[in-house]
Amino acid sequence: MTTKIEQNKKLSESSKSENNIRTFEMANEAMAESAKDHEQKKSSLLREMMGAGVSASADFESQMGLSNLEVGKLYSDRGDFILAIPKLKEAADLFLRRNQFEQYLEAQNSLLRIYAERDQFEEIQSFKEHIQDLILKEGFELGSQTYYTLGVCTSYRGQDEAALEYFRKALSIALARDNKKDISYAIGGIAISYKNLGKQAEALKEIYNLQ
């Protein structure tokens, strides 16, 4: 027979579960509203440009790229990958047309993380081949975040030795630029790679480096 104490305990647990669910729903609703707001601003900008008789100018493409990038990231953060992918792809294309390589790589980094989450490794390989051609053609260099992201993608496939090399490259660039945030990301990636390879001492050493 269920005691009153047990009944109260069950009610308390049920209430906590409902509160957690509601908190999650409220977070999703907030992100949805933010994404909706970005879409409305983009539509408003489009109407203004068209009303002024302006076609897709350089500034307009840049604004559209930034808008799509932010919306794509919002969708990605809440796990709506199907909605995120076309936004991020459109942003990447717009940035590439403008030779805005830093923003282009930012959009591609977000896409790479989604591809890794969805086990779309053929898309990741396609990006690697494309970026190599682009580097040779345009002469720019990849940043620490892109190498870090490639390390994460490689780690998803269980290729920890290769992932470790990506993270080391990311760390080298971050140190050269004295970018504390990128340094932390890279060291964290290195530590996880060592842990996955069973090299606990090396992993602990990298963790200490974060302090």
Side-chain angles (χ1 to χ4, degrees), residues 51-106:
V54 180
S55 60
S57 66
D59 288 341
F60 178 63
E61 286 192 341
S62 293
Q63 290 299 319
M64 289 288 286
L66 290 170
S67 177
N68 281 317
L69 177 61
E70 291 305 314
V71 172
K73 281 183 172 181
L74 285 168
Y75 282 139
S76 178
D77 287 344
R78 69 178 195 176
D80 285 338
F81 298 146
I82 292 176
L83 294 175
I85 288 172
K87 294 294 181 186
L88 293 169
K89 280 186 173 180
E90 186 177 349
D93 289 342
L94 288 167
F95 290 138
L96 187 58
R97 282 207 295 270
R98 295 276 299 124
N99 290 334
Q100 294 176 284
F101 299 121
E102 184 177 347
Q103 291 88 345
Y104 166 75
L105 289 174
E106 186 178 353

Side-chain angles (χ1 to χ4, degrees), residues 159-170:
Q159 299 172 346
D160 294 299
E161 289 283 2
L164 184 58
E165 291 307 310
Y166 279 123
F167 292 137
R168 283 173 174 163
K169 182 66 175 177

Side-chain angles (χ1 to χ4, degrees), residues 66-185:
L66 290 170
S67 177
N68 281 317
L69 177 61
E70 291 305 314
V71 172
K73 281 183 172 181
L74 285 168
Y75 282 139
S76 178
D77 287 344
R78 69 178 195 176
D80 285 338
F81 298 146
I82 292 176
L83 294 175
I85 288 172
K87 294 294 181 186
L88 293 169
K89 280 186 173 180
E90 186 177 349
D93 289 342
L94 288 167
F95 290 138
L96 187 58
R97 282 207 295 270
R98 295 276 299 124
N99 290 334
Q100 294 176 284
F101 299 121
E102 184 177 347
Q103 291 88 345
Y104 166 75
L105 289 174
E106 186 178 353
Q108 288 289 5
N109 289 343
S110 294
L111 281 168
L112 287 171
R113 292 298 293 266
I114 292 174
Y115 294 149
E117 290 277 356
R118 293 169 58 126
D119 294 334
Q120 292 180 268
F121 298 114
E122 68 285 351
E123 295 288 351
I124 296 171
Q125 184 58 37
S126 176
F127 168 77
K128 289 180 182 179
E129 294 170 0
H130 171 69
I131 202 65
Q132 287 299 327
D133 292 339
L134 197 58
I135 289 171
L136 290 173
K137 180 182 176 182
E138 302 293 344
F140 70 94
E141 296 181 353
L142 298 182
S144 178
Q145 274 294 316
T146 300
Y147 279 110
Y148 171 79
T149 304
L150 288 170
V152 171
C153 294
T154 306
S155 181
Y156 266 78
R157 301 199 73 173
Q159 299 172 346
D160 294 299
E161 289 283 2
L164 184 58
E165 291 307 310
Y166 279 123
F167 292 137
R168 283 173 174 163
K169 182 66 175 177
L171 179 59
S172 175
I173 295 171
L175 287 170
R177 298 178 180 176
D178 194 29
N179 188 313
K180 300 294 191 296
K181 179 181 177 181
D182 288 349
I183 289 171
S184 296
Y185 273 108

